[in-house]
Amino acid sequence: MTVFEVKQGTSPVILGFPHTGTDVPADIWARLNDNGRKLADTDWHIHTLYDGLLDDATTVRATFHRYVIDANRDPAGASLYPGQNTTGLVPETDFDGVAIWNAGEEPGEADIAARLAAFHAPYHAALAAEIARVKAIHGFAVLYDCHSIRSHIPFLFEGKLPDFNIGTDMGKTCAAEIERIAVDVTTKAEGYTSILNGRFKGGWTTRHYGKPETRVHAIQMELAQSTHLQSEDLPFAYDAAKAEQLRVPLKAILTQIEAFALSKNT
């Protein structure tokens, strides 16, 4: 199976999609239990939501599901949020804390090592290559990592998640101007709620690549799925009307980030 898809563009902005894939190899599928086979923790339809919002943007999308291995987790297995409930490099449970593997068939160290080599590493090699290519064109690159999650998940957070969750690891992963664009657009977007570095501060991808001192910037956008799905339950159907409304502020964020990046072209 192809583990990633790349569409090369000439914009200084790169869109990352680590969690929209639903491919699971047959041998791994056989080990998932009925709950795991729902693939509920997918970032449903996010690549569709962003499609066409920014002309000439490069996109890098993992095609494998996060239950195979999570492309947005530290390959060393370190927790993104120490002391808080979360899921790991190869999740043992879903976002509700319920087991996803058949008893006795949970992935072990050898499985994780094999999946790192077969899935995680190739995806990040492709992403790193595109960041380097874009930076070579512009002298500046911005990775915008695209995510979504259900708006109510008591195992992970209390209450209802804001619609827009901007993550920059407390301002460490991108220029202040990039962070400000995302905050300004989302706070002014009528009918939506937003937060900066709340429950989600940027995953491993954002923290790993976002090094402003090297002129590579990264920002994560975690969207509540209630903003673009008909229901946050099976079959997680796309709501075209909701999505079109949501695409307006998303397009504004991307075009303004691109304009800022182009202004820094060396």
Side-chain angles (χ1 to χ4, degrees):
M1 61 181 280
T2 302
V3 302
F4 61 85
E5 298 172 345
V6 173
K7 185 185 81 172
Q8 290 188 331
T10 57
S11 169
V13 177
I14 300 140
L15 303 181
F17 298 98
H19 290 154
T20 66
T22 54
D23 291 349
V24 180
D27 59 326
I28 297 176
W29 182 261
R31 296 168 66 174
L32 287 168
N33 63 23
D34 287 344
N35 183 52
R37 291 182 181 186
K38 295 177 183 177
L39 305 181
D41 300 331
T42 306
D43 289 13
W44 297 103
H45 310 292
I46 284 294
H47 54 305
T48 301
L49 179 68
Y50 280 91
D51 187 42
L53 287 184
L54 189 66
D55 291 339
D56 294 324
T58 292
T59 63
V60 183
R61 186 176 89 90
T63 58
F64 55 92
H65 194 263
R66 69 189 305 156
Y67 291 169
V68 176
I69 192 165
D70 193 326
N72 198 35
R73 294 291 184 271
D74 186 338
S79 175
L80 290 172
Y81 300 101
Q84 299 185 63
N85 286 339
T86 187
T87 53
L89 181 60
V90 174
E92 296 178 3
T93 71
D94 64 12
F95 287 162
D96 296 312
V98 180
I100 59 173
W101 302 99
N102 293 321
E105 296 188 81
E106 301 86 354
E109 290 185 8
D111 295 304
I112 294 171
R115 296 181 197 185
L116 274 169
F119 300 95
H120 193 285
Y123 171 76
H124 281 285
L127 185 55
E130 291 308 308
I131 291 170
R133 183 184 64 83
V134 165
K135 185 184 174 186
I137 296 170
H138 297 283
F140 196 96
V142 182
L143 171 61
Y144 179 102
D145 215 36
C146 307
H147 295 263
S148 73
I149 193 167
R150 286 178 285 138
S151 59
H152 291 89
I153 307 180
F155 183 70
L156 297 183
F157 50 82
E158 294 181 1
K160 184 179 187 294
L161 195 71
D163 299 319
F164 295 100
N165 299 267
I166 304 159
T168 64
D169 196 21
M170 309 309 291
K172 297 174 187 174
T173 65
C174 69
E177 293 90 340
I178 294 172
E179 184 181 86
R180 192 175 305 123
I181 287 167
V183 170
D184 286 351
V185 171
T186 57
T187 54
K188 293 173 183 175
E190 187 175 350
Y192 294 103
T193 56
S194 67
I195 193 168
L196 171 65
N197 292 315
R199 174 61 179 85
F200 298 102
K201 297 175 173 63
W204 183 78
T205 301
T206 303
R207 302 182 200 190
H208 178 69
Y209 294 103
K211 295 179 171 38
E213 68 276 10
T214 69
R215 298 174 66 80
V216 175
H217 302 255
I219 185 169
Q220 176 176 304
M221 180 63 77
E222 185 89 55
L223 299 168
Q225 291 181 342
S226 56
T227 61
H228 57 282
L229 298 186
Q230 293 178 22
S231 170
E232 296 184 330
D233 201 350
L234 288 170
F236 300 101
Y238 192 64
D239 188 314
K242 283 185 181 179
E244 281 307 305
Q245 181 178 342
L246 181 61
R247 280 166 60 88
V248 174
L250 293 176
K251 183 178 181 67
I253 293 168
L254 293 177
T255 54
Q256 290 180 40
I257 289 176
E258 180 182 58
F260 171 75
L262 288 171
S263 77
K264 299 298 181 181
N265 192 332
T266 57

